[in-house]
């Protein structure tokens, strides 16, 4: 198991309670939930350079414009002349 850096984190009571509930809803420990949210935020900001799946519970990335579904989807062919249209 990789060594983890330990440090004290002070949270507002309402933030702590909300994170605790969210962690329970996602079946994670509070620590794992905070780590998950921080890793997700770092990836979305382009500041987390590790590849996916390196850390346990690492979130899926959001696709970039080049990786998104529109970049890989094949265009629909034009309907043939005289062919029935959808909904007609």
């Amino acid at each position: 198991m990789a060594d983890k850096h330990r440090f004290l984190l002070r949270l507002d009571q309402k933030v702590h309670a909300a994170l605790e509930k969210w962690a329970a809803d996602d079946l994670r420990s509070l620590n794992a939930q905070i780590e998950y949210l921080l890793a997700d935020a770092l990836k979305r900001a382009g500041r987390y350079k590790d590849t996916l799946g390196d850390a346990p519970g690492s979130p899926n990335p959001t696709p970039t414009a080049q990786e998104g579904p529109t970049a890989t989807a094949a265009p629909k062919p034009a309907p043939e002349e005289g062919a029935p249209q959808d909904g007609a």
Side-chain angles (χ1 to χ4, degrees), residues 16-75:
H16 183 271
L19 284 169
E20 235 175 6
K21 176 160 182 1
W22 194 358
D25 290 346
D26 288 354
L27 303 175
R28 290 189 181 101
S29 68
L30 178 60
N31 186 74
Q33 185 71 13
I34 291 170
E35 189 171 1
Y36 172 87
L37 294 171
L38 288 172
D40 184 48
L42 288 166
K43 286 177 184 178
R44 289 174 189 259
R47 296 177 176 266
Y48 195 70
K49 302 302 179 197
D50 283 352
T51 59
L52 283 180
D54 284 355
S58 62
N60 292 331
T62 52
T64 62
Q66 293 84 16
E67 297 170 340
T70 55
T72 58

